């Protein structure tokens, strides 16, 4: 596991600030101290348990539950004092002990009732016990809100206090009587009774003190007032003092007896307190997990580090909301174990390096990390981090010497199952020599299997990483247009330093910038230009992707709108068709009844059999005609809901679209979405295959008739109706029939005159028209069309 031999790693990664946040979330000073001293755990199994315990509380909180933890103080010193034979604790100590007893009882009950949901926490709380007897004894003896010892704390205490109260009352009455007499004589400075040195006294003028017999206990700062205890209350005051001493002695006896009970249960109390501290530390970590959207990552021992949407914990604490922190997505340890991160200054390279180190260190300490739950973190034996300028005046080290000193320690000590983080490798000396040293270091660490992440500005290392097995490039993205960092990590692609672009933006003369480019080597120039070109292409592709996503969203909205409208119209058509079928059925029934009545009448009048036969033939012909009309109307009922497509559709097939009740011709084969292009007269549409039925039989029997069915408009159809003076029901009936006539006549608008009046007709007409299936829309009549007294209906 990670070895922390000194505070160097914590200081480098600023892990102490993460621990400080944990301490602020704890409920006990000792818990805070334990969290501040948090160290990596000693085995993979302990790490798993540590993460799992936090996850159990986090799951409880995410489901809306609460963990029964509250503030409590460190009682270690009280328990140590109680261990000494003959000692006794004060009321404050018993209040704190009562506090941990109450917390322990609540947690003991919580885990007993929820054992199945908290197996790992139950393991921690296994030794937690409930001690109601001691709690009752403390409650009986001490008022925990005021810390006063109760009268019932001992058999004698109540009697002593009652006697003391009587003595005080007698002394008060005597003093008040004396106060009244002396006040009339002008002897007193103030008219009140007070206390000095625990005894009742009167404030006497200094010039009149010889007039009051008694004991002088004190005088005012000015010397004008002396405080005298009169002789006739001296004995009463002495009695009060004796009773007060007896009271103190009896209180001490009660506290000693209570401390004896604590001493007997000392080991149990110590164990309960330790368990409470452990649970409080876990709870503080769970609170941090919830507040910073942290999760338990998967663990491995093969060195595979995969961070998904990871965020630097300190940036998460600093910024709000969480979305303001750009997430890090990075993978290393599978296919390659060394990563070279390049990019401009202030682009986020060092933050990415520290984020990796912090997340790995947090996991080794059994803490959740601010990254997605499908992140994966290996358990490292050691973490080495060299970040920042390590120049030391005391050690007489230059920047480069200090840099080499840190790298030397990593090269000498790091091995497989270790993590090495080096910021700006090869810096501080001649660029070519520094790059060569960096390459050699990376080769050695890579060959040894150390998971290594370094940052650099050396262009040579970009090509080196591309060409060397086990080493990969990566970079921090930079907006080439605004020349500002995006803080997004890009795998497999080196980054440009943008030195010339930034210099130009900062106002450096163009001649200087151009000369700088010419002084660079041709190969280096080509490499930087290639990187810039690739970065621009990546940004163009991203923009294209964003544009395509916007178009896809718009198409999805249109498709959803089309499907909604199609379903609405299909439902409306089906409703109209059902009404037509019902009307046709009524027509047939009425026609049959009429004909039968006619035949009955003929028979009753004595017509000949030949005449009756001819009449029946006429009836049969009429019935057949009506049934054919009925067949046309019920055609959709025959085919709706039946999929008669037994084979693949081919262009030219005649099909029936059940949703719309029309016949059409197939124009194309079925596409990948299962849709077929169909022509309906001059219209074309892509129709889902399962909404189609083969129309061979229908074409022969009914199709021609369906396509040839004609509706005849009613005679004398009006484009305007006047409903003024009608009752509401009568008016709505007239409007409904007029709309039907208008549709059959092919009208586009209908003008309804309802007048203004009381508004009853207009108010009833408006909702009726809004819900009417034949109405597309309505509007008020214009200035020359009747104004508010007229409604124009669009059919």
């Amino acid at each position: 596991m990670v070895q922390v031999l000194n505070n160097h790693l914590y200081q480098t990664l600023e892990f102490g600030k993460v621990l400080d946040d944990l301490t602020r979330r704890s409920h006990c000073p000792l818990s805070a101290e334990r969290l501040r001293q948090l160290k990596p755990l000693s085995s993979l199994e302990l790490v798993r348990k540590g993460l799992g315990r936090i996850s159990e509380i986090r799951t409880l909180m995410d489901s809306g539950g609460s963990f029964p933890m509250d503030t409590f103080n460190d009682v270690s010193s009280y328990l140590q004092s109680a261990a000494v034979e003959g000692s006794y604790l004060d009321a404050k100590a018993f209040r704190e002990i009562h506090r941990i007893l109450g917390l322990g009882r609540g947690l003991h009950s919580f885990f007993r009732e929820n054992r199945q949901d908290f197996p790992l926490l139950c393991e921690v709380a296994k030794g937690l016990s409930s001690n109601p007897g001691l709690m009752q004894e403390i409650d009986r003896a001490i008022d925990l809100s005021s810390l006063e010892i109760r009268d019932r704390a001992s058999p004698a205490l109540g009697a002593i206090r009652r006697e003391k109260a009587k003595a005080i009352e007698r002394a008060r009455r005597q003093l008040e009587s004396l106060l009244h007499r002396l006040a009339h004589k002008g002897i007193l400075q103030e008219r009140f009774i007070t206390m000095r040195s625990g005894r009742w006294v009167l404030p006497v003028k200094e010039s009149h003190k010889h007039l009051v017999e008694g004991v002088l206990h004190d005088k005012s700062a000015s010397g004008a007032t002396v405080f005298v205890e009169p002789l006739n209350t001296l004995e009463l005051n002495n009695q009060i003092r004796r009773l007060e001493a007896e009271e103190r002695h009896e209180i001490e006896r009660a506290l000693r007896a209570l401390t004896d009970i604590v001493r007997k249960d000392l080991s149990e109390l110590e164990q309960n307190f330790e368990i409470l501290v452990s649970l409080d530390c876990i709870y503080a970590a769970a609170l941090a997990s919830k507040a910073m959207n942290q999760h338990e990552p998967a663990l491995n021992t093969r060195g595979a580090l995969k961070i998904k949407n990871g965020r630097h914990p300190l940036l998460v604490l600093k910024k709000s909301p969480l979305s303001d922190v750009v997430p890090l997505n990075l993978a290393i340890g599978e296919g390659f174990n060394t990563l070279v991160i390049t990019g401009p200054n202030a682009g986020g390279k060092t933050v990415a390096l520290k984020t990796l180190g912090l997340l790995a260190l947090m996991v080794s300490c059994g803490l959740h990390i601010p990254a997605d739950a499908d992140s994966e973190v290996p358990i490292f034996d050691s973490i080495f981090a060299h970040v920042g300028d390590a120049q030391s005046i005391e050690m007489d080290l230059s920047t480069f010497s200090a840099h080499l000193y840190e790298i030397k320690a990593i090269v000498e000590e790091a091995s497989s199952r270790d993590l090495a983080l080096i910021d700006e490798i090869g810096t501080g000396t001649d660029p070519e020599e520094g790059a060569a040293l960096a390459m050699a270091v990376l080769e050695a660490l890579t060959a040894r299997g150390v998971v290594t992440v370094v940052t650099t500005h050396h262009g040579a290392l970009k090509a080196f990483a591309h060409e060397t097995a086990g080493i990969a490039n990566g970079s921090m993205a930079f907006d080439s247009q605004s020349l500002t960092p995006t803080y997004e990590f890009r795998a497999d692609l080196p980054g440009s330093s943008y030195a010339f672009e930034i210099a130009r933006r900062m106002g450096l003369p163009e001649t200087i910038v151009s000369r700088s480019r010419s002084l660079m080597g041709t190969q280096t120039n080509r490499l930087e230009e290639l990187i810039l070109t690739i970065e621009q292409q990546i940004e163009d592709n991203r923009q294209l992707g964003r544009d395509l996503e916007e178009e896809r969203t718009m198409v999805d909205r249109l498709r959803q709108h089309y499907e909604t409208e199609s379903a609405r119209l299909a439902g409306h058509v089906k409703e109209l068709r059902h009404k037509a079928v019902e009307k046709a059925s009524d027509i047939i029934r009425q026609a049959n009844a009429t004909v039968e009545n006619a035949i009955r009448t003929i028979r009753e009048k004595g017509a000949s059999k030949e005449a009756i036969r001819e009449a029946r033939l006429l009836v049969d012909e009429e019935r057949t005609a009506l049934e054919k009309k009925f067949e046309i109307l019920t055609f959709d009922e025959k085919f709706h809901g039946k999929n008669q497509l037994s084979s693949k559709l081919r262009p030219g097939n005649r099909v029936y679209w059940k949703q719309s009740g029309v016949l059409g011709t197939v124009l194309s084969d079925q596409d990948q979405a299962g849709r077929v292009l169909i022509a309906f007269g001059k219209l074309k549409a892509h129709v889902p295959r399962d909404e189609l039925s083969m129309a061979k039989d229908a074409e022969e029997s009914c199709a021609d008739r369906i396509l040839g069915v004609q509706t005849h408009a009613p005679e004398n159809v009006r484009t305007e109706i006047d409903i003024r003076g009608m009752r509401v029901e009568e008016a709505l009936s007239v409007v409904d029939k007029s709309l039907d006539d208008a549709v059959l006549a092919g009208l586009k608008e209908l003008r309804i005159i309802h007048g203004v009046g009381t508004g009853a007709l207009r108010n009833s007409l408006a909702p009726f028209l809004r819900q009417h299936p034949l109405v597309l829309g309505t509007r008020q009549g214009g200035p020359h069309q009747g104004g508010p007294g007229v409604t124009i209906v669009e059919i």
Side-chain angles (χ1 to χ4, degrees):
M1 302 304 297
V2 176
Q3 301 298 314
V4 183
L5 302 179
N6 50 49
N7 291 326
H8 176 68
L9 180 65
Y10 281 19
Q11 292 171 354
T12 300
L13 298 179
E14 299 180 279
F15 188 52
K17 294 181 180 179
V18 175
L19 298 181
D20 286 342
D21 175 66
L22 288 179
T23 64
R24 287 190 290 270
R25 301 180 193 275
S26 64
H27 294 76
C28 173
L30 185 58
S31 307
E33 186 60 30
R34 296 271 178 90
L35 289 168
R36 196 171 283 110
Q37 301 298 323
L38 197 63
K39 294 291 186 292
L41 300 169
S42 59
S43 70
L44 174 62
E45 184 59 26
L46 288 178
V47 173
R48 288 191 195 280
K49 286 186 176 181
L51 294 172
R53 288 163 183 158
I54 297 171
S55 295
E56 287 182 352
I57 299 182
R58 175 70 191 275
T59 300
L60 172 70
M61 292 191 292
D62 289 345
S63 63
S66 59
F67 190 66
M69 178 61 69
D70 206 343
T71 55
F72 62 103
N73 284 320
D74 186 355
V75 297
S76 302
S77 59
Y78 299 141
L79 298 181
Q80 290 173 2
S81 298
V84 178
E85 197 69 36
S87 64
Y88 70 94
L89 302 176
D90 60 15
K92 181 181 178 182
F94 282 110
R95 180 168 64 183
E96 300 303 335
I97 291 173
H98 187 278
R99 181 70 171 163
I100 67 165
L101 285 170
L103 274 176
R105 183 174 63 178
L107 284 163
H108 183 268
S109 175
F110 174 81
F111 287 121
R112 187 178 64 248
E113 296 171 2
N114 302 278
R115 184 170 300 277
Q116 299 298 322
D117 298 326
F118 304 97
L120 296 175
L121 288 172
C122 283
E123 185 180 323
V124 176
K126 184 169 54 179
L128 201 61
S129 60
S130 177
N131 194 333
L134 179 55
M135 289 186 69
Q136 290 172 2
E137 286 298 320
I138 295 174
D139 275 326
R140 185 183 64 81
I142 303 171
D143 182 339
L144 296 176
S145 59
S146 64
L147 295 183
E148 293 290 331
I149 308 301
R150 300 183 190 274
D151 289 353
R152 63 192 181 200
S154 76
L157 184 58
I160 293 172
R161 285 178 171 173
R162 286 190 293 273
E163 188 177 347
K164 185 182 76 169
K166 291 177 182 177
I168 292 173
E169 179 61 22
R170 288 196 299 272
R172 185 186 62 77
R173 284 200 300 268
Q174 288 189 17
L175 284 171
E176 284 180 348
S177 176
L178 184 59
L179 178 73
H180 183 71
R181 293 198 307 272
L182 296 177
H184 280 294
K185 297 178 179 180
I187 296 174
L188 299 179
Q189 189 73 271
E190 298 287 344
R191 189 166 182 167
F192 63 81
I193 301 169
T194 185
M195 184 173 283
R196 287 292 186 275
S197 303
R199 303 181 76 87
W200 297 103
V201 294
L202 296 175
V204 179
K205 293 179 180 179
E206 200 281 334
S207 57
H208 294 73
K209 63 183 178 180
H210 61 282
L211 299 177
V212 181
E213 294 184 355
V215 179
L216 191 151
H217 285 280
D218 197 4
K219 65 169 55 180
S220 65
S222 64
T225 305
V226 294
F227 297 94
V228 178
E229 178 185 3
L231 286 179
N232 56 353
T233 63
L234 191 63
E235 183 54 35
L236 277 174
N237 272 331
N238 288 338
Q239 183 183 2
I240 292 171
R241 295 298 295 271
R242 285 196 302 273
L243 290 170
E244 286 175 345
E246 289 181 22
E247 180 185 22
R248 288 193 298 271
H249 178 71
E250 196 60 32
I251 288 174
E252 182 179 320
R253 283 179 54 189
L255 293 176
R256 286 184 188 278
L258 205 53
T259 304
D260 290 341
I261 300 175
V262 169
R263 189 178 301 114
K264 185 174 62 176
D265 297 333
L266 199 58
S267 60
E268 177 186 310
L269 290 169
E270 289 173 341
Q271 179 172 278
N272 274 14
F273 178 63
E274 280 299 316
I275 292 172
L276 286 177
V277 170
S278 298
L279 290 173
D280 186 32
C281 290
I282 298 169
Y283 184 43
L287 290 172
S289 175
K290 177 74 171 177
M292 294 191 283
N293 194 30
Q294 297 178 348
H295 296 93
E296 174 184 354
L299 302 178
N300 69 74
T301 56
R302 65 184 190 280
L305 179 62
K306 297 178 183 178
I307 301 299
K308 293 188 177 182
N309 292 321
R311 291 173 169 85
H312 194 293
L314 301 184
L315 290 180
V316 174
L317 288 171
K318 183 179 179 181
K319 295 189 176 184
S320 181
L322 183 66
S323 57
D324 288 347
V325 182
V326 179
L328 174 67
N329 290 278
L330 186 151
I332 185 174
E334 291 185 341
F336 66 95
N337 61 292
T338 298
L339 178 64
V340 177
I341 303 178
T342 50
N345 283 323
K349 300 190 301 296
T350 303
V351 172
L353 207 66
K354 284 188 171 183
T355 300
L356 291 178
L358 264 179
L359 299 191
L361 184 54
M362 289 174 70
V363 170
S364 71
C365 293
L367 298 175
H368 283 189
I369 58 174
D372 288 355
D374 53 349
S375 297
E376 196 169 348
V377 179
I379 301 302
F380 295 108
D381 288 343
S382 296
I383 297 176
F384 300 91
H386 169 47
V387 182
D389 187 359
Q391 184 177 20
S392 172
I393 296 176
E394 293 178 0
M395 296 178 63
D396 193 25
L397 294 177
S398 66
T399 299
F400 180 64
S401 298
H403 184 65
L404 282 184
Y405 182 82
E406 296 281 350
I407 291 177
K408 171 178 174 289
I410 295 174
V411 171
E412 288 178 347
E413 299 178 29
S415 61
S416 62
R417 295 174 58 86
D418 289 347
L419 173 65
L421 307 170
I422 305 175
D423 192 28
E424 298 295 349
I425 190 170
T427 191
T429 187
D430 177 80
E432 292 186 6
E433 294 178 352
L437 278 171
M439 292 178 195
V441 169
L442 294 181
E443 280 182 340
L445 295 176
T446 303
R448 208 177 296 167
V450 181
V451 176
T452 306
V453 183
V454 302
T455 68
T456 185
H457 281 288
H458 288 305
L461 288 182
K462 303 172 187 177
F464 171 75
H466 179 71
E467 297 166 353
T468 307
I471 305 179
N473 272 305
S475 60
M476 305 307 295
F478 199 74
D479 189 332
S480 59
Q481 301 300 319
S482 63
L483 295 182
T484 56
T486 66
Y487 305 109
E488 294 180 7
F489 175 77
R490 299 178 304 188
D492 303 320
L493 183 69
S496 171
S497 294
Y498 285 92
F500 298 136
E501 288 75 10
I502 294 174
R504 185 178 289 111
R505 175 62 64 87
M506 295 294 292
L508 205 63
E510 183 61 33
T511 54
I512 300 293
V513 176
S514 300
R515 178 57 178 160
S516 301
R517 281 194 178 278
S518 66
L519 290 174
M520 282 181 61
T522 305
Q523 184 175 357
T524 304
N525 252 325
R526 282 203 301 267
L527 177 61
E528 288 297 313
E529 288 173 0
L530 176 61
I531 292 173
L532 290 174
T533 301
I534 293 174
E535 288 180 343
Q536 186 58 52
Q537 289 176 350
I538 290 174
E539 181 56 34
D540 291 344
N541 289 338
R542 285 182 175 175
Q543 185 58 48
L544 179 61
R546 288 192 288 268
D547 293 343
L548 289 174
E549 181 63 23
E550 289 179 4
E551 291 183 8
R552 187 190 68 79
T553 302
M554 182 178 67
V555 169
D556 285 344
R557 283 200 302 267
L558 290 174
R559 178 181 56 79
Q560 185 177 4
H561 177 70
Y562 161 75
E563 290 176 350
T564 302
E565 285 299 302
S566 177
R568 185 183 67 80
L569 291 173
H572 180 49
V573 168
K574 185 176 181 181
E575 181 183 352
L576 291 178
R577 188 175 292 111
H578 278 301
K579 288 182 179 179
V581 169
E582 290 174 0
K583 287 184 179 180
S585 299
D586 290 341
I587 291 171
I588 291 174
R589 284 193 296 271
Q590 292 172 6
N592 283 335
T594 301
V595 171
E596 291 297 332
N597 288 334
I599 293 171
R600 188 181 305 110
T601 302
I602 292 170
R603 184 182 294 114
E604 290 173 354
K605 290 183 178 180
S608 65
K609 292 182 178 180
E610 187 64 29
I612 293 173
R613 189 181 304 111
E614 290 177 3
R616 280 192 177 278
L617 286 174
L618 292 173
V619 169
D620 290 339
E621 288 176 3
E622 185 65 22
R623 182 184 292 114
T624 301
L626 289 170
E627 286 176 347
K628 286 180 179 178
K629 292 180 181 179
F630 183 76
E631 181 183 1
I632 292 172
L633 290 169
T634 57
F635 176 79
D636 182 60
E637 299 302 317
K638 291 181 180 181
F639 292 93
H640 188 73
K642 297 179 182 179
N643 191 347
Q644 300 174 358
L645 299 178
S646 57
S647 61
K648 182 178 180 181
L649 285 174
R650 292 180 174 80
N653 288 151
R654 293 286 286 168
V655 291
Y656 174 65
W657 187 10
K658 295 174 289 185
Q659 296 294 100
S660 299
V662 295
L663 288 169
T665 303
V666 177
L667 298 181
S668 69
D669 292 330
Q670 179 178 320
D671 61 17
Q672 292 182 348
R675 299 180 304 172
V676 180
L677 181 62
I678 307 296
F680 308 98
K682 295 182 180 181
L683 299 177
K684 298 177 183 179
H686 283 92
V687 179
R689 184 179 188 276
D690 56 8
E691 294 182 9
L692 299 173
S693 297
M694 294 300 290
K696 288 183 179 180
D697 298 335
E699 191 171 350
E700 294 175 0
S701 62
C702 304
D704 293 336
R705 284 196 294 262
I706 290 176
L707 296 175
V709 170
Q710 296 181 354
T711 57
H712 298 283
E715 296 180 0
N716 301 322
V717 175
R718 293 176 297 170
T719 60
E720 176 184 287
I721 58 172
D722 189 347
I723 60 173
R724 288 177 294 183
M726 296 183 183
R727 289 180 293 103
V728 172
E729 292 182 2
E730 179 186 3
L732 295 183
S733 177
V734 170
V735 170
D736 185 46
K737 185 177 184 310
S738 298
L739 286 171
D740 288 341
D741 293 343
V743 169
L744 293 175
L747 298 181
K748 297 298 183 183
E749 287 186 350
L750 179 66
R751 185 167 179 263
I752 304 174
I753 303 173
H754 48 70
V756 179
T758 61
L761 271 180
R762 181 177 54 188
N763 294 338
S764 300
L765 185 63
F768 173 80
L769 293 175
R770 276 199 301 271
Q771 298 175 3
H772 200 286
L774 298 180
V775 175
L776 180 63
T778 63
R779 68 179 186 274
Q780 180 179 295
H784 302 293
Q785 295 176 313
V790 172
T791 296
I792 309 297
V793 180
E794 297 177 37
I795 308 299

